[in-house]
Amino acid sequence: MDGFLECRGVGKTYQGKSGAVEALRGIDLSCGTGEFVCLLGLSGCGKSTLLQMIAGLETPSTGTIAINGTPLAGPSAETSIVFQDHGLFPWMTVQRNVEFNMKARGVATAERRDRAREFLAMTGLSGFAERYPHELSGGMRQRVGIARALTTQPKALLMDEPFGALDAQTRGRLQEELLQIWEGQRTTVLFVTHSIDEAVFLADRVVVFSPRPGRISAIVPIDLPRPRDPESPGFIALSKELRRKLAPDLHGAPLG
Ligand code: ADP
Ligand code: MG
C-alpha cells in the first residue's frame, strides 16, 4: 500500500454552547491508491467528522492529514465528497448540478457539458439531464451526486452514508453500480456506513470505530472474491466478526 491518504494522531474537539465535545481521538489510518475502505461505526462515533476533515471541510484539533504526501489545508483537488442527503441544488437541473463542481473549478463551458454527459451516462441518467432533483427518485438523486463528484476526476471519492436513506433493493443496485464505477475509474473510495453487510459487500478493508470519544477499535481486511455473495459462509463469518467488534458489550464480553 502506498499511503495515498495518511491520518496521524488526528483528533477533533468541537466547542459547543454546552461545552466541548471530543468527537475523535488519536486516529491513525493509511489508505492506498485504489483501495475501497469502509468506515464502520454506530452513530455518534465520529465517522462524518473524520470524512469532513479528510474532505478539508473541517480542521483537525490535533494531528495531521496528508494526501499524496501533502498536508491538507482546506479542500483538495484530489478528493470529492458525496453526501447522504445528495446535497443537490433544488433550483438547478440535473445537468447543471452535475456541472457545478467543474464550474467552481473554472472548467470551460463546452468541456463541462461534455464531461457532465459522460458521467450522466455512466450513472444511467442520460435521459434525465433536464429534470429537477424533486422529479427524481431517491436512488437517482444519489446517482446525480455520484456523477457530480466524479466529474472532477478525483483520486478519492469520500462518501458519507450515501445509500443510507434508500430502500434495500435500490441500495443493493447502487452498491453494485458503485463497485463497477470504482473498478472502472480506479479511484480510492472512503465510504462511511453503519451497516455491517454494506461494509462486507463493498470494502477491501473495514475500519471499525468505537464511541466517546470516537476511536479506531479494529481494522478488518475483507479478503473475499468479488462479486460477493452475502449468503456465502465467508461473508457470514466476517459479518459476525464485525458485529462482535462493533458492539462487544452486546456479545458477552467480560466486564471490567
Ligand atoms: P457519526 O457520523 O459517526 O454519527 P459525527 O461525526 O456526526 O458521528 O459526530 C461525532 C460527535 O461529534 C457526536 O457527539 C456529535 O454530536 C458531535 N458533533 C458533530 N458535529 C458537530 C458540530 N458541528 N458541533 C458540535 N458537535 C458536533
Ligand atoms: Mg455521520
Side-chain angles (χ1 to χ4, degrees):
M1 196 173 58
D2 62 0
F4 164 73
L5 168 73
E6 297 276 357
C7 301
R8 289 287 156 255
V10 172
K12 177 73 179 178
T13 300
Y14 291 106
Q15 304 297 339
K17 284 201 189 90
S18 48
V21 178
E22 189 181 13
L24 279 174
R25 184 189 292 176
I27 301 299
D28 291 317
L29 179 64
S30 300
C31 301
T33 299
E35 213 188 351
F36 200 125
V37 175
C38 278
L39 309 180
L40 175 71
L42 304 175
S43 121
C45 63
K47 306 179 299 295
S48 294
T49 297
L50 183 59
L51 207 72
Q52 300 272 329
M53 290 194 293
I54 293 169
L57 302 172
E58 287 280 357
T59 317
S61 309
T62 63
T64 56
I65 299 174
I67 291 181
N68 268 337
T70 307
L72 269 190
S76 159
E78 314 263 44
T79 63
S80 263
I81 191 159
V82 179
F83 300 99
Q84 172 166 18
D85 66 351
H86 65 77
L88 303 179
F89 301 108
W91 62 88
M92 290 184 192
T93 61
V94 165
Q95 174 83 24
R96 289 189 45 224
N97 267 290
V98 172
E99 288 185 22
F100 184 83
N101 291 10
M102 292 185 282
K103 194 170 179 187
R105 290 184 191 182
V107 177
T109 313
E111 188 181 349
R112 258 182 4 232
R113 203 181 311 127
D114 291 350
R115 249 200 264 169
R117 283 215 187 101
E118 176 191 337
F119 287 100
L120 283 170
M122 184 185 294
T123 48
L125 290 165
S126 286
F128 298 90
E130 295 314 314
R131 302 284 184 93
Y132 286 86
H134 75 269
E135 299 178 286
L136 306 180
S137 66
M140 286 163 77
R141 286 198 284 261
Q142 285 312 112
R143 285 199 185 99
V144 178
I146 293 169
R148 178 176 63 184
L150 289 169
T151 55
T152 54
Q153 293 161 310
K155 300 246 170 56
L157 265 189
L158 311 176
M159 309 184 84
D160 194 354
E161 308 211 33
F163 308 147
L166 304 177
D167 63 82
Q169 210 179 338
T170 307
R171 185 176 191 155
R173 180 134 37 88
L174 281 176
Q175 288 168 351
E176 284 171 16
E177 289 176 15
L178 175 62
L179 287 175
Q180 277 174 15
I181 289 171
W182 169 66
E183 279 160 14
Q185 305 280 303
R186 303 187 165 274
T187 124
T188 304
V189 179
L190 257 72
F191 187 107
V192 168
T193 181
H194 59 254
S195 159
I196 291 171
D197 283 354
E198 185 163 65
V200 177
F201 188 71
L202 293 174
D204 292 323
R205 271 193 310 152
V206 179
V207 179
V208 184
F209 285 75
S210 62
R212 280 181 299 280
R215 272 178 285 194
I216 293 177
S217 58
I219 296 183
V220 179
I222 308 294
D223 48 9
L224 301 172
R226 301 171 187 274
R228 293 176 179 164
D229 174 6
E231 286 169 12
S232 68
F235 195 108
I236 292 166
L238 279 161
S239 302
K240 266 193 193 153
E241 182 184 340
L242 286 172
R243 199 156 289 122
R244 256 192 328 267
K245 290 192 149 74
L246 197 56
D249 35 336
L250 301 179
H251 289 267
L255 294 173

